[in-house]
Amino acid sequence: MSRSTRPHPATPRSDLVDEDPRSILARVITGGETRARQEQVDLAEARHALARLQGPARGTPAEVARVTLEVAPSLVNNLLATTAGLLRNLVMKTDAGAGTDPEMDAFTREVIAGGRTQRTLYDSALLESPGALARAHQYRVAGEEQRVMDHAPTEYCVFGDEAVVCVERWGDPDSDYVLIRDPMLIAMFTTSFDQLWEHSFPFPTERGAPDDEDEQLLDLLVRGLKDEAIARYLGWSLRTVRRRVARLMEDLGARTRFQLGAEAVRAGRLGPPAAQVHRASWPPRPSR
């Protein structure tokens, strides 16, 4: 009986014998993390599909599904890749939530640089954060359209007319998210954003020259911003804002801030269109 030349079944065979064990571990872990993220996205989509099938009769809205914070970045990347149209983005914080994910951050800027329009409304409080300003600058370089508003009501992003990703707890950027595909709700978020955008003011890419600082101050006052928000926007101290307002009131002979706007228009210091802009608030205050 001839001896078999086949290797013994217990003999290990591998082409990785000479590879650095650290490289092997890094590759395996990275691959595992990628597969885990994809599985999370698949599960989120499955939950969403199940919610749509169950419908309101089971107590779950058919077009709304909860998305965990861990799944949200992958879900947003998927929406960026599969939807079309204008991106409307309302931001309260840049150091919390899904926006801190580096892969999502890089892919979003890549999509914007590739030609998709994103309009982002930033809360004016972010003007005090060097980190937030640096991040906004990166997005501005990519091509993002940017404006600022005082007291952003919550955080959400509208993906064309196909979906909305909103924080689960209104006004809490640290909470989980909900994925909304109901057409009426998408239209409501879109309308809300467009109204806020219309009544917001430009993102300050650089401070104004001394000659037009007073005009900037008048414009912000007429828009309804409070002194604290004006100070953040112009990079002044609160004391400086109040001192400059008092001086303008004296120069224009105004007794009240409301009268200051009218006198500024009469003196040619402020154009009528700007004087007619009022700060929007959302949700609307109930009528009395």
Side-chain angles (χ1 to χ4, degrees):
M1 184 175 182
S2 61
R3 176 180 291 181
S4 173
T5 58
R6 291 181 298 177
H8 191 277
T11 302
R13 292 183 297 174
S14 174
D15 297 328
L16 305 177
V17 174
D18 295 330
E19 185 175 354
D20 188 337
R22 289 170 294 188
S23 300
I24 298 173
L25 289 172
R27 184 173 64 253
V28 172
I29 291 173
T30 300
E33 290 175 341
T34 301
R35 290 191 296 274
R37 283 196 296 269
Q38 185 58 51
E39 288 175 358
Q40 287 178 326
V41 173
D42 292 342
L43 287 172
E45 290 290 352
R47 284 195 297 268
H48 180 60
L50 180 61
R52 296 178 67 182
L53 289 172
Q54 288 177 330
R58 298 290 185 89
T60 303
E63 299 291 346
V64 179
R66 183 173 179 270
V67 179
T68 64
L69 182 60
E70 292 75 19
V71 174
S74 297
L75 177 64
V76 169
N77 284 351
N78 182 61
L79 289 171
L80 287 170
T82 59
T83 62
L86 180 65
L87 298 168
R88 296 170 170 88
N89 191 28
L90 183 57
V91 177
M92 296 178 69
K93 297 174 67 176
T94 59
D95 58 354
T100 60
D101 182 82
E103 292 183 8
M104 192 194 86
D105 183 61
F107 184 60
T108 303
R109 284 187 279 116
E110 179 182 334
V111 168
I112 298 171
R116 189 165 185 185
T117 302
Q118 173 162 297
R119 290 179 177 171
T120 297
L121 264 173
Y122 292 92
D123 190 286
S124 61
L126 296 175
L127 298 176
E128 296 180 339
S129 168
L133 291 174
R135 184 175 184 273
H137 175 73
Q138 290 181 323
Y139 273 79
R140 184 164 58 251
V141 170
E144 180 180 72
E145 298 178 11
Q146 301 175 336
R147 290 192 179 183
V148 179
M149 67 170 294
D150 195 23
H151 301 303
T154 193
E155 282 201 356
Y156 60 80
C157 185
V158 185
F159 297 82
D161 59 358
E162 301 176 54
V164 175
V165 174
C166 178
V167 290
E168 184 180 29
R169 295 189 297 273
W170 187 267
D172 182 3
D174 295 305
S175 71
D176 286 332
Y177 296 86
V178 289
L179 170 63
I180 300 169
R181 291 192 184 273
D182 179 82
M184 183 176 68
L185 292 177
I186 294 172
M188 290 177 62
F189 276 95
T190 299
T191 300
S192 170
F193 181 92
D194 289 346
Q195 290 178 347
L196 294 173
W197 181 268
E198 180 182 356
H199 298 300
S200 60
F201 48 103
F203 197 96
T205 55
E206 57 184 31
R207 301 305 177 189
D211 292 341
D212 58 30
E213 283 181 346
D214 283 349
E215 280 62 33
Q216 281 187 307
L217 176 57
L218 286 167
D219 182 60
L220 295 173
L221 284 169
V222 171
R223 289 176 185 268
L225 268 71
K226 296 181 179 180
D227 291 351
E228 292 80 1
I230 293 174
R232 287 194 294 264
Y233 185 79
L234 295 176
W236 297 350
S237 68
L238 184 59
R239 181 178 180 182
T240 297
V241 171
R242 291 171 175 168
R243 176 174 54 81
R244 296 285 289 267
V245 170
R247 180 176 60 79
L248 283 171
M249 291 177 64
E250 182 179 354
D251 291 346
L252 294 172
R255 296 181 179 179
T256 65
R257 293 193 175 196
F258 178 80
Q259 188 180 12
L260 177 61
E263 294 298 332
V265 172
R266 187 176 293 111
R269 302 282 296 275
L270 190 65
Q276 295 169 4
V277 176
H278 301 283
R279 185 177 61 140
S281 61
W282 185 265
R285 295 184 179 87
S287 57
R288 294 182 179 180

